[in-house]
Amino acid sequence: MATPTPLQAFSGVPKTHADSDKQTIVDGEKMTGAQALVRSLEDLGVQDVFGLPGGAILPVYHAINEHTKFRFTLVRHEQAAGHAAEGYAVATGRVGVCIVTSGPGATNMITPIADANMDSVPLVVITGQVGVNAIGTDAFQEADIVGATYPVVKHSYLVTRAQDIPRVLAEAHYIARSGRPGPVVVDLTKTAQVGEMYYSWPQRMILPGYNPVTKAHGRVLSDAAKLFAQSYRPLLYVGGGASRSNASKEVAELAAVTGAPIVTTLPARGIVPDDDPKNLGMLGMHGTVAATAAAQRCDLLVAIGARFDDRVTGKLSAFAPGARVIHIDIDPAEIGKNRTPDVPIVGDVATVLTDLIPEIKRSQAIGGRPNLKPWWDELNALREKYSIHYDQPEDQPTDGTLQPQWVVEQLSAKADPSTIWVSGVGQHQMWAAQLIDFKKPHSWISSGGLGTMGFGLPAAIGAAVGSARDFAGKKPVWLIDGDGSFQMTSEELATAFLDHTPVKIAILNNSVYGMVRQWQTLFYDQHYSQTNLLDGQAHNEAEEGTPEFFDVPDFVKLAEAYGCVGLRAFTQDEALAAIDKANAINDRPVLIDFRVWKDAMVWPMVAAGASNDEVTYRPGTQPLRPQASADAAANDDGNGSNTSGFGKLSDAGF
């Protein structure tokens, strides 16, 4: 029998509320619940809030005025408020906070809530709700947001009494940032907002059973040290949890002490500088051959704040087949979820590594350190032979003269070393992860687990707000986006301009949904169903036989319409000049429309559901396949009509 959601259950309870004069009176300053919410955010140290008003949350917005201590950023769509709060949280390490109304305002927040949940981003999402007596009546703009977000939220509250607001806000903020970070929803009835209460601070939190483990227990550290002592092919597989734990220094020290190479997941890019010789780069579907090979051939896999995601593992049963596993994660639910570890360690990554490193040093003092030279010789040979590389097209493209990979390389080469990089989702996201020269932690913000198109622009705005708050704006923010992804939230150019967030936007405009087109090319017989955006392409023939070009939209005019600077580049000289101009402008947003080749593909690639041993470096080259299979494949056209080196279409998702 299905259990009701909290709001459904609440709606079935008779509305027998105590009179206000019979409620418990406590010492404190008398105010409304809405005023208490604003005061609570101030007392929690919240300095920036994102949102959009509406009827059911108007009492709170009425309480926000020129004396309010936090800065409020008004977005143009509630989804953007959530993504901006995510970008802010990742860039600063603070909790992102947003305030939206009930009904559609709250449901528009479901995507960023799910996104933050997948990527472990700390958010407090405050939503309006109809009055207590209207709950369950299908009142105007009523929606069960607690129930709707239940599968994708870390925790949630339905607040019906004004007196509960300070305690709930204190708990929500703590839950969002502690343990495994994540989003917390506070659904605030209008009854609670307009009711009177007595405010006091600090609040006593009531969280029975919620005690996140941060320090490793038992003999697991010594067990892990023993595995390192016995390993001649160790590998540090570093995930987003290490970034959330601020464990950059500890990861680098562990690699130095053990001599183990480092591979990272998408959200962990930058945790160790790319010029560190121990960093093999990103592994998995579009990772480097060396990083993917290291995972497949290691004898000890140390998962550090990583969750064995399918984009990393490929076919799970074939991932790191000969490796013993140490899994370090603050979330006990992740331990053993996809791969059973030999040594499970529950705890905060930075804390665990700080305790583990001395244990390893003690072990080495007794038994020495294994000789890893053969392991490194193998990996260095793969790194040198199969570096990230792209070819110029044999035929001059007619829809753009720029290689998108080249554009990303130039953006990286000309950027300030402290730049915060943000991406949308698609091919441009993968090229950015592959080709940007990351130098510092917390310099990469992208939607990883959920893969949310439209994430980029609002997240970049949030990162720019965070840069202004914590770094005096000295960390420039570059957004690398695709024309398809960008158009999902392009209205936020108004927010960027009016809120004085000078984000720099590089649109790799290939006039198609690039990653979808790549899959259609490789797996769907080049049937390009509904992926052509027809932006800037010759898609009509004029009477005289000359092609007509239509920019729908014209990104330069769109930028200018929102008060931003708009530039366009077809050639390499135009691109370099546009990048220089964008880097020199710091008083308003700048958008560059780079016209790029629509048939460029992201390589290397592992087909969804395939073993990582089948990684294709480029069409026809699969360096990790067993020699016998490679020889067999050389005698045909690549397992059928597909000459890309891929086999049959996987039934796995995008």
Side-chain angles (χ1 to χ4, degrees):
M1 182 174 118
T3 57
T5 68
L7 197 51
Q8 289 169 339
F10 178 84
S11 66
V13 176
K15 309 300 188 297
T16 54
H17 301 289
D19 295 333
S20 58
D21 60 348
K22 294 183 180 179
Q23 294 187 22
T24 302
I25 304 299
V26 297
D27 293 333
E29 181 182 351
K30 189 175 182 180
M31 61 181 67
T32 66
Q35 292 170 327
L37 183 136
V38 173
R39 179 76 68 84
S40 297
L41 292 176
E42 292 175 338
D43 285 342
L44 284 165
V46 172
Q47 296 181 289
D48 298 279
V49 175
F50 306 86
L52 196 155
I57 198 69
L58 271 184
V60 169
Y61 277 84
H62 183 61
I64 298 173
N65 54 44
E66 65 274 14
H67 302 297
T68 301
K69 294 178 182 177
F70 55 77
R71 168 183 174 177
F72 189 89
T73 297
L74 175 65
V75 298
R76 297 304 183 267
H77 191 283
E78 289 89 356
Q79 180 181 347
H83 293 322
E86 286 187 273
Y88 177 86
V90 176
T92 65
R94 301 171 184 264
V95 175
V97 178
C98 35
I99 305 175
V100 300
T101 193
S102 66
T107 58
N108 282 341
M109 282 295 305
I110 293 177
T111 295
I113 289 169
D115 193 278
N117 190 59
M118 290 284 277
D119 287 352
S120 302
V121 179
L123 295 187
V124 171
V125 179
I126 300 163
T127 59
Q129 185 55 268
V130 299
V132 167
N133 290 328
I135 289 177
T137 68
D138 290 332
F140 178 66
Q141 291 193 335
E142 178 191 0
D144 182 359
I145 192 63
V146 171
T149 60
Y150 192 79
V152 293
V153 74
K154 184 176 180 182
H155 194 59
S156 52
Y157 293 88
L158 174 63
V159 184
T160 61
R161 298 175 63 243
Q163 195 65 53
D164 294 332
I165 289 175
R167 174 185 59 80
V168 167
L169 262 292
E171 291 177 4
H173 195 269
Y174 172 71
I175 292 170
R177 72 179 190 272
S178 60
R180 178 177 181 171
V184 178
V185 167
V186 177
D187 199 28
L188 200 60
T189 62
K190 204 162 186 180
T191 305
Q193 295 174 55
V194 300
E196 291 189 338
M197 53 85 68
Y198 291 85
Y199 185 86
S200 63
W201 196 268
Q203 287 287 309
R204 177 177 174 269
M205 296 187 292
I206 305 173
L207 297 171
Y210 182 69
N211 297 295
V213 176
T214 59
K215 197 172 181 66
H217 294 300
R219 300 178 53 186
V220 290
L221 296 180
S222 61
D223 291 343
K226 289 176 184 176
L227 289 189
F228 272 105
Q230 299 165 5
S231 171
Y232 289 85
R233 304 167 77 87
L235 180 67
L236 308 184
Y237 154 39
V238 183
S243 294
R244 300 290 178 267
S245 180
N246 297 311
S248 174
K249 177 174 174 275
E250 290 79 6
V251 168
E253 186 178 358
L254 179 63
V257 168
T258 63
I262 299 168
V263 299
T264 72
T265 63
L266 178 70
R269 294 291 285 124
I271 191 165
V272 175
D274 283 347
D275 58 7
D276 187 322
K278 288 188 171 58
N279 187 357
L280 299 179
M282 185 172 70
L283 82 163
M285 178 172 281
H286 292 297
T288 68
V289 169
T292 301
Q296 292 303 100
R297 298 175 181 177
C298 67
D299 64 9
L300 176 62
L301 184 71
V302 187
I304 304 173
R307 56 189 180 89
F308 292 85
D309 175 71
D310 63 289
R311 285 301 186 258
V312 164
T313 66
K315 184 179 180 181
L316 184 60
S317 62
F319 179 64
R324 290 180 291 183
V325 174
I326 300 170
H327 193 174
I328 304 169
D329 203 291
I330 199 166
D331 184 359
E334 288 295 343
I335 305 290
K337 184 178 78 174
N338 293 327
R339 175 74 174 258
T340 302
D342 296 271
V343 179
I345 305 178
V346 177
D348 171 68
V349 166
T351 302
V352 169
L353 294 187
T354 298
D355 294 339
L356 175 61
I357 289 169
E359 196 72 29
I360 293 173
K361 289 180 178 179
R362 281 191 289 271
S363 175
Q364 290 175 347
I366 297 170
R369 192 165 90 170
N371 177 19
L372 304 186
K373 185 177 184 303
W375 179 223
W376 272 109
D377 288 345
E378 178 182 342
L379 296 176
N380 284 331
L382 287 168
R383 176 157 55 180
E384 182 177 351
K385 186 173 182 179
Y386 300 108
S387 60
I388 296 295
H389 179 75
Y390 59 92
D391 294 319
Q392 293 292 338
E394 294 180 4
D395 299 322
Q396 183 73 5
T398 60
D399 60 340
T401 59
L402 295 168
Q403 277 292 87
Q405 300 96 321
W406 178 86
V407 173
V408 174
E409 285 184 331
Q410 302 312 309
L411 289 167
S412 177
K414 288 178 171 289
D416 186 296
S418 64
T419 295
I420 298 172
W421 297 95
V422 185
S423 85
V425 169
Q427 287 181 314
H428 62 276
Q429 176 189 30
M430 295 297 102
W431 286 319
Q434 290 177 338
L435 296 166
I436 290 173
D437 183 16
F438 292 101
K439 296 180 173 66
K440 297 182 179 181
H442 308 299
S443 60
W444 170 245
I445 302 172
S446 190
S447 172
L450 199 63
T452 305
M453 292 178 68
F455 172 89
L457 180 56
I461 292 170
V465 171
S467 175
R469 171 68 61 195
D470 285 358
F471 312 109
K474 293 180 180 178
K475 288 190 174 184
V477 177
W478 264 106
L479 166 64
I480 297 179
D481 217 338
D483 48 321
S485 186
F486 180 79
Q487 289 183 72
M488 291 195 173
T489 50
S490 61
E491 79 285 342
E492 298 309 318
L493 285 173
T495 304
F497 175 76
L498 294 173
D499 211 59
H500 308 289
T501 51
V503 296
K504 305 175 195 304
I505 305 162
I507 297 180
L508 304 187
N509 184 356
N510 57 9
S511 302
V512 296
Y513 290 123
M515 189 61 84
V516 183
R517 180 185 174 88
Q518 176 165 334
W519 280 49
Q520 288 174 330
T521 299
L522 298 174
F523 308 121
Y524 291 91
D525 301 320
Q526 300 181 31
H527 177 211
Y528 301 120
S529 176
Q530 309 306 318
T531 46
N532 291 319
L533 296 177
L534 303 178
D535 169 31
Q537 295 190 50
H539 54 87
N540 276 343
E541 293 291 328
E543 292 182 3
E544 60 273 19
T546 58
E548 291 185 6
F549 290 83
F550 295 93
D551 291 338
V552 183
D554 183 322
F555 286 111
V556 171
K557 290 181 179 178
L558 183 68
E560 292 172 347
Y562 281 111
C564 309
V565 176
L567 306 170
R568 182 175 289 118
F570 287 93
T571 68
Q572 290 189 355
D573 287 343
E574 290 173 348
L576 294 172
I579 294 170
D580 287 339
K581 185 171 182 179
N583 282 329
I585 297 174
N586 294 303
D587 62 344
R588 65 185 61 203
V590 182
L591 181 153
I592 309 175
D593 177 11
F594 292 101
R595 293 300 174 86
V596 299
W597 185 38
K598 72 176 182 297
D599 289 315
M601 290 196 186
V602 183
W603 301 108
M605 182 177 180
V606 179
S611 165
N612 281 352
D613 286 328
E614 298 178 32
V615 59
T616 299
Y617 176 58
R618 61 182 67 188
T621 303
Q622 293 183 298
L624 303 187
R625 292 184 69 182
Q627 189 59 43
S629 299
D631 291 341
N635 294 325
D636 62 27
D637 62 356
N639 298 322
S641 61
N642 179 2
T643 59
S644 67
F646 289 104
K648 294 187 295 183
L649 173 66
S650 167
D651 62 359
F654 209 8

